[in-house]
Amino acid sequence: MDYEFRRNSLDGSVLALFSMDHEALGRWLSEELGEDEAKLSAVLQAIAQLQAGELEHYQLVGRDLTLEMDKEQAVVAANVLGFEEEHDLQEFMNLYDAESIANCGLEDLQLVLESWREFLGS
């Protein structure tokens, strides 16, 4: 998973760009997490609790994207996908959309978030 962070020199906004299949993670960082240190700290704390076995599941619902984590992985999905219900899909049908859902290992997300925090501090 490749990524880079940018800051707009005109308005100071931040942008996270991720490689194919992880674009939703970049959108989540840019649009949902942004520069909110409290949210960033809460997610990093939840990761530590998941890794320590103190928590089994964590969910952060945003305006457009939701982060869900368990002890092994993190998934960012667009709220409009509605994955709460299991669907019996035919083989030719696929709900996957690279811009709407992305997943990665919990440790990978932790590294991304620490890099994001470092980027925001610079």
Side-chain angles (χ1 to χ4, degrees):
M1 163 174 69
D2 294 323
Y3 57 89
E4 71 175 280
F5 305 137
R6 295 182 184 168
R7 184 175 296 275
N8 185 324
S9 60
L10 297 176
D11 66 6
S13 62
V14 291
L15 181 64
L17 301 169
F18 278 71
S19 59
M20 200 167 176
D21 295 335
H22 293 97
E23 294 99 336
L25 188 53
R27 280 189 52 221
W28 178 79
L29 272 173
S30 301
E31 299 170 16
E32 301 289 350
L33 195 59
E35 298 186 66
D36 189 333
E37 177 61 33
K39 273 188 190 177
L40 178 58
S41 292
V43 174
L44 285 168
Q45 182 178 359
I47 290 172
Q49 291 174 320
L50 287 162
Q51 291 171 331
E54 299 168 5
L55 196 61
E56 289 187 28
H57 183 260
Y58 177 83
Q59 182 179 51
L60 180 62
V61 178
R63 291 179 314 271
D64 297 320
L65 298 159
T66 294
L67 169 69
E68 292 195 48
M69 300 185 297
D70 62 26
K71 64 181 180 179
E72 294 178 8
Q73 72 169 353
V75 177
V76 170
N79 295 342
V80 295
L81 292 179
F83 281 110
E84 294 84 27
E85 299 177 20
E86 288 294 319
H87 297 280
D88 185 24
L89 299 177
Q90 297 176 7
E91 284 185 39
F92 65 89
M93 296 180 73
N94 188 355
L95 286 177
Y96 179 79
D97 180 353
E99 295 177 0
S100 299
I101 187 168
N103 62 17
C104 66
L106 198 58
E107 291 177 3
D108 291 334
L109 179 61
Q110 182 179 18
L111 292 173
V112 165
L113 292 174
E114 289 168 356
S115 295
W116 184 247
R117 177 179 268 165
E118 185 178 318
F119 166 75
L120 294 176
S122 57

